[in-house]
Amino acid sequence: MAANQLLFTIREYAMNYIGPWQSVMETEIFRLGLWKKCHNKVTLFTSKGLAKETFDKFLLDRFFPQLDKFPERDEDFNRVANNQLLMLSVTEPEQSRQLRHSILYRNWISSNLADIIFIPYGEKGSKTYTIAKKIVKSNLSAFTTDIDENLDLHKY
């Protein structure tokens, strides 16, 4: 709930949302970024190669409800058609799978591009937790919610 409340608070600011858009929380951030009245920007950051990744493929299985019933679907395709939706990759163009090292590298690069790094949840041992430790050690500003599940994140 704390993360969700934060998202609805920050949607009022014109920001560029950068992410892989895979979790439920990220889906909500993506949707807020496409909210027409906010003028936010959204950057899709894939860990696959751009020769193998397309906007349709990238978004097809990331949302509930599925993209064909996704409320912001029209706005998404409108931005794609008008070159207003950016897709980035840090892998070789022909890479067709998401590899752990590519995911970690993508997350590291997106953290360095960001003005604000928000980590809603990072279980110890997860990729999120690994990158969060690196972020803090590099003196990048990051924040998270104050919940019991994030106690390990707060140690850094």
Side-chain angles (χ1 to χ4, degrees), residues 106-122:
R106 175 207 55 212
N107 292 350
W108 174 244
I109 296 296
S110 62
S111 297
N112 280 274
L113 292 172
D115 291 322
I116 299 169
I117 303 168
F118 173 55
I119 305 166
Y121 174 75

Side-chain angles (χ1 to χ4, degrees), residues 49-108:
L50 292 179
K52 298 291 183 179
E53 190 78 274
T54 66
F55 286 105
D56 291 345
K57 284 187 206 175
F58 186 89
L59 299 172
L60 187 62
D61 61 353
R62 281 175 165 72
F63 304 106
F64 184 81
Q66 293 298 315
L67 187 59
D68 62 333
K69 296 177 183 64
F70 190 62
E72 291 77 16
R73 178 183 186 275
D74 292 342
E75 179 63 17
D76 169 63
F77 285 112
N78 180 50
R79 290 190 188 191
V80 170
N82 291 304
N83 294 317
Q84 296 174 338
L85 193 58
L86 177 64
M87 184 182 295
L88 298 175
S89 175
V90 292
T91 65
E92 294 295 323
E94 296 299 323
Q95 183 173 314
S96 61
R97 294 184 26 224
Q98 294 189 57
L99 305 173
R100 181 176 172 81
H101 72 276
S102 298
I103 293 167
L104 291 170
Y105 188 54
R106 175 207 55 212
N107 292 350
W108 174 244

